[in-house]
Amino acid sequence: MKKTSTCLADGRELIYYDVRDDAVRDAVDRRPLAPVATTSEVRKDALLGDSVAIASHRQGRTYHPPADECPLCPSAGDRLSEIPDSAYDVVVFENRFPSLAGDAGRCEVVCFTSDHDASFADLTPEQAGLVLEAWTDRTAELSHLPSVEQVFCFENRGAEIGVTLGHPHGQIYAYPFVTPRTDLMLRSLAAFKEASGGHNLFDDIVAKESAGGRVVLEGEHWTAFVPYAAHWPYEVHLYPKRRVPDLLGLDEAARTEFPQIYLELLRRFDRIFDESGESPTPYISAWHQAPFGTLDGYEGINRDDFALHLELFTIRRTSGKLKFLAGSESGMSVFINDVPPEAAAQRLREVASS
């Protein structure tokens, strides 16, 4: 992998990740951009104890542009985009409309490929491996920022999810706090360790799921299963078999196998409701990594107790029907799942990718 860092016309950082070591990235951003102006601030909810990012400047972000005006495609002639070069393998750049900025964190965009009409599932194993390297590198770099406590790599895919740019891409959020979902995991982890005499909750869950009937895919170094208490109609959790706290901890064997396992999962997701694959499934794919720091607020555990894992889920519950977060889910955070996890796992095992 070759990494080339440069700057866009407004001063934001842009990084090319290339498979070839001889790639030359010297294209200049020729757009007359004004400096980025953000209103991002983080406010603490005194009642719930969580944090909310207030970012009114995002009202003006790019919204469903036509394909020939996509800001994530390479620049071509007089059509100038966020990527100055005429082609790329993987690109990461600072979001011009970030939810988090400055002391409130940082937001980055990850473009998986220069092919506007592709999806992550269309990538080759080599391309998917390069994205993994980019995620890992950005996790390492962002963890050194003074304000950052947690790094979150994720992909929103599909208009039903709320995606406003059709180009295959994901994002990275560097939070200045431990997120509520991770906080719940850490509290459960600490409580289980104390109650069990030192055992690890993640290890216990993976062992039980691996021996049960909800495994979807299993490799030498990764296992993917539908969890016992899945919140979403089709939800898969992907764990490395050797527990590590973050992407940096993966060894070479796990990195090599990851593309095959992950691409197969994505292709099966696309065929859950339509085995021809012509109706792509909307999904969210989310990496869960340990926060950076000593975890002083969680007695008895450290970040090595946390288990890196990826959660992949769709809001589509059946063909043509979506799972909406209504009163119970949005109002009280109590999920109601219409698809039994065992049925979801069976369906994902049945579906063969093309």
Side-chain angles (χ1 to χ4, degrees), residues 48 66 77 120 131 135 164 171 192 220 229 243 268 290 301 349:
L48 297 179
F120 201 116
V131 175
W135 283 330
T164 57
Q171 299 182 65
F192 184 87
E220 185 177 354
R243 173 165 46 90
R268 290 193 186 195
I301 63 171
R349 285 194 297 268

Side-chain angles (χ1 to χ4, degrees), residues 4-119:
T4 306
S5 181
T6 184
C7 284
L8 296 172
D10 54 11
R12 287 175 295 134
E13 185 178 19
L14 179 142
I15 306 163
Y16 294 97
Y17 293 90
D18 286 290
V19 171
R20 293 172 55 98
D21 290 334
D22 59 354
V24 176
R25 299 298 185 184
D26 55 7
V28 176
D29 185 3
R30 295 180 284 124
R31 297 173 296 170
L33 295 180
V36 174
T38 68
T39 60
S40 295
E41 63 171 309
V42 174
R43 297 183 181 180
K44 186 72 174 285
D45 186 317
L47 189 61
L48 297 179
D50 59 4
S51 298
V52 178
I54 309 297
S56 61
H57 64 278
R58 285 176 52 79
Q59 289 279 33
R61 67 188 184 273
T62 308
Y63 187 80
H64 292 300
D68 60 357
E69 296 179 17
C70 175
L72 306 185
C73 286
S75 293
D78 293 330
R79 186 179 63 76
L80 305 178
S81 73
E82 290 279 64
I83 296 90
D85 218 325
S86 58
Y88 62 84
D89 290 341
V90 175
V91 166
V92 177
F93 62 87
E94 289 184 75
N95 197 326
R96 186 167 171 80
F97 303 97
S99 302
L100 308 166
D103 291 339
R106 174 159 159 151
C107 293
E108 298 183 340
V109 177
V110 185
C111 298
F112 304 138
T113 171
S114 59
D115 184 352
H116 180 85
D117 297 317
S119 70

Side-chain angles (χ1 to χ4, degrees), residues 1-298:
M1 179 193 77
K2 182 179 180 181
K3 175 184 175 182
T4 306
S5 181
T6 184
C7 284
L8 296 172
D10 54 11
R12 287 175 295 134
E13 185 178 19
L14 179 142
I15 306 163
Y16 294 97
Y17 293 90
D18 286 290
V19 171
R20 293 172 55 98
D21 290 334
D22 59 354
V24 176
R25 299 298 185 184
D26 55 7
V28 176
D29 185 3
R30 295 180 284 124
R31 297 173 296 170
L33 295 180
V36 174
T38 68
T39 60
S40 295
E41 63 171 309
V42 174
R43 297 183 181 180
K44 186 72 174 285
D45 186 317
L47 189 61
L48 297 179
D50 59 4
S51 298
V52 178
I54 309 297
S56 61
H57 64 278
R58 285 176 52 79
Q59 289 279 33
R61 67 188 184 273
T62 308
Y63 187 80
H64 292 300
D68 60 357
E69 296 179 17
C70 175
L72 306 185
C73 286
S75 293
D78 293 330
R79 186 179 63 76
L80 305 178
S81 73
E82 290 279 64
I83 296 90
D85 218 325
S86 58
Y88 62 84
D89 290 341
V90 175
V91 166
V92 177
F93 62 87
E94 289 184 75
N95 197 326
R96 186 167 171 80
F97 303 97
S99 302
L100 308 166
D103 291 339
R106 174 159 159 151
C107 293
E108 298 183 340
V109 177
V110 185
C111 298
F112 304 138
T113 171
S114 59
D115 184 352
H116 180 85
D117 297 317
S119 70
F120 201 116
D122 295 323
L123 301 182
T124 66
E126 183 179 46
Q127 290 172 310
L130 184 61
V131 175
L132 177 62
E133 291 302 315
W135 283 330
T136 305
D137 181 72
R138 297 315 301 153
T139 296
E141 293 292 326
L142 292 170
S143 72
H144 295 308
L145 296 180
S147 63
V148 171
E149 290 195 32
Q150 188 172 0
V151 178
F152 176 46
C153 307
F154 65 101
E155 180 191 1
N156 298 328
R157 193 274 192 100
E160 300 95 327
I161 295 292
V163 174
T164 57
L165 297 176
H167 195 103
H169 73 288
Q171 299 182 65
I172 302 175
Y173 277 22
Y175 296 102
F177 50 80
V178 176
T179 62
R181 189 172 177 84
T182 303
D183 174 70
L184 290 173
M185 291 183 191
L186 292 171
R187 293 186 185 282
S188 296
L189 184 63
F192 184 87
K193 188 172 185 178
E194 181 180 10
S196 65
H199 290 237
N200 185 280
L201 177 58
F202 286 110
D203 293 349
D204 184 77
I205 289 172
V206 173
K208 287 180 178 178
E209 292 289 4
S210 296
R214 289 181 296 275
V215 173
V216 175
L217 279 174
E218 187 164 19
E220 185 177 354
H221 304 284
W222 295 86
T223 185
F225 55 84
V226 177
Y228 171 73
H231 288 55
W232 300 94
Y234 289 88
E235 175 181 341
V236 174
H237 293 190
L238 176 63
Y239 279 78
K241 291 187 176 180
R242 183 178 68 87
R243 173 165 46 90
V244 295
D246 53 39
L247 290 165
L248 284 71
L250 292 175
D251 60 23
E252 194 58 36
R255 292 182 182 280
T256 299
E257 187 181 69
F258 171 77
Q260 286 81 11
I261 296 288
Y262 186 51
L263 290 172
E264 175 65 15
L265 279 178
L266 293 181
R267 290 163 186 165
R268 290 193 186 195
F269 256 60
D270 271 347
R271 298 169 69 87
I272 298 172
F273 308 106
D274 173 13
E275 294 206 30
S276 70
E278 295 178 358
S279 178
T281 300
Y283 64 73
I284 292 175
S285 177
W287 281 109
H288 291 265
Q289 306 191 78
F292 291 91
T294 58
L295 301 184
D296 291 336
Y298 307 95

Side-chain angles (χ1 to χ4, degrees), residues 312-324:
L312 173 68
F313 60 90
T314 179
I315 62 171
R316 187 177 290 170
R317 56 188 175 87
T318 188
S319 182
K321 296 180 181 179
L322 301 180
K323 163 66 178 177
F324 291 102

